[in-house]
Structures are given as C-alpha cells and as structure tokens.
Amino acid sequence: MTLPAVLETTHRAGVAALTVVVVLDPTAPLRSAPDHAGWLRGQQRLDRVMSRVAPPLFLLTAGATAAAAVVALVDGRAGAAAARTVTAACVVAAVRVTLTRSEPENARIRGWRPEDPPAADWREVRDRWEAAHRSRRALLAVAALATAAGVAVDASGRR
C-alpha cells in the first residue's frame, strides 16, 4: 500500500471512528442520570476511557487528514483537497473545544466522589460540559460531511 493510500485510509477510518464515538454519542446514557451520584459515576467512567482513547484518535485523524489534503492538492485534486482541509480544520477545532472547555470541567470533577455531598454548582458544571460536547459533536459532524464530500469528488473523477 502506498503512503498516499495509507494516509487516505487513516483519514477515513479516523473520521469514521470519531463519528461513531463522538457524533453518534453512544456514551450519552452514562451521563443521563438526573442525580449527582449517578451522573458523576457515568461522567468519571467516560472520562477514564476517553482520556486514553481521544488524544491519539484526534491527533492521528487530524494529522492523516491534513497530509491527505496535501497529497490531494499535489495530485491536482483541488476539490478533494478542500474537503480534506475542512475536515482537518473541524477536527482541530474539536480538539480545541476539548482542551479549552471540556477538559477544565473534567479536571474539576475528577476529584469529586459520588458518595460525598454534591458540589453546589454540579449542574452548571454538567451543563457547561454538555454544551462543549454539543459543539464538539457539531464540528465532527461537519468533518464527516466534508469527508463524504471529498470521497464523492474523488469517486466522480473531477479534479
């Protein structure tokens, strides 16, 4: 398999994985308990998993997508290059949302314990995290659409 093919496959697989894990949000039930203890258990479980999975997935996807955009541009496939550039920008923006909005809330709640009395503002923390997550989901949905557009452009043979 050639390097451009590896980059393209990695780009598509990474966007697909982010779409499944973040956009489709299968972890929503973990965060759906209305009470402090139930919500906190789910949020902390999610944080433990995603703090390991998300960094390499986001970085690999952003890097492979940006590289695939360069390959497409060099090959004279401007439409595909533009679509991949939009995808890479959306993934990078989602990383920024994670680092600047979600992670500060995660860091705060890592020290909380479900059996302790809830922090007075736990609902505000939850709501800020969810708002950031909705932003991240929207950015990654646009990335998925841009990826699909790039695939369609490549399939049509248009340059």
Side-chain angles (χ1 to χ4, degrees):
M1 191 180 264
T2 65
L3 180 59
V6 168
L7 292 172
E8 185 63 28
T9 300
T10 304
H11 147 65
R12 291 180 187 185
V15 172
L18 288 172
T19 300
V20 169
V21 172
V22 180
V23 178
L24 299 179
D25 199 13
T27 63
L30 290 175
R31 307 183 317 272
S32 65
D35 64 300
H36 172 263
W39 168 78
L40 184 58
R41 280 186 192 96
Q43 185 68 25
Q44 287 176 336
R45 185 176 308 128
L46 173 63
D47 180 51
R48 278 192 302 277
V49 172
M50 292 307 291
S51 65
R52 292 179 183 97
V53 172
L57 180 57
F58 273 101
L59 294 175
L60 183 63
T61 302
T65 302
V70 170
V71 168
L73 188 61
V74 168
D75 286 349
R77 299 174 5 250
R84 286 166 182 81
T85 300
V86 169
T87 299
C90 287
V91 172
V92 169
V95 169
R96 185 165 189 261
V97 167
T98 300
L99 294 175
T100 62
R101 295 178 55 201
S102 301
E103 187 52 30
E105 303 301 347
N106 288 336
R108 182 170 180 199
I109 67 167
R110 281 182 191 124
W112 293 357
R113 295 173 1 143
E115 55 277 351
D116 289 342
D121 66 341
W122 78 270
R123 285 183 177 87
E124 288 91 15
V125 170
R126 176 196 61 197
D127 294 347
R128 284 192 301 269
W129 190 94
E130 288 293 340
H133 187 55
R134 283 190 301 275
S135 297
R136 180 176 41 235
R137 288 175 68 204
L139 286 163
L140 294 174
V142 171
L145 291 172
T147 296
V151 169
V153 167
D154 273 347
S156 73
R158 287 181 284 171
R159 295 271 166 180

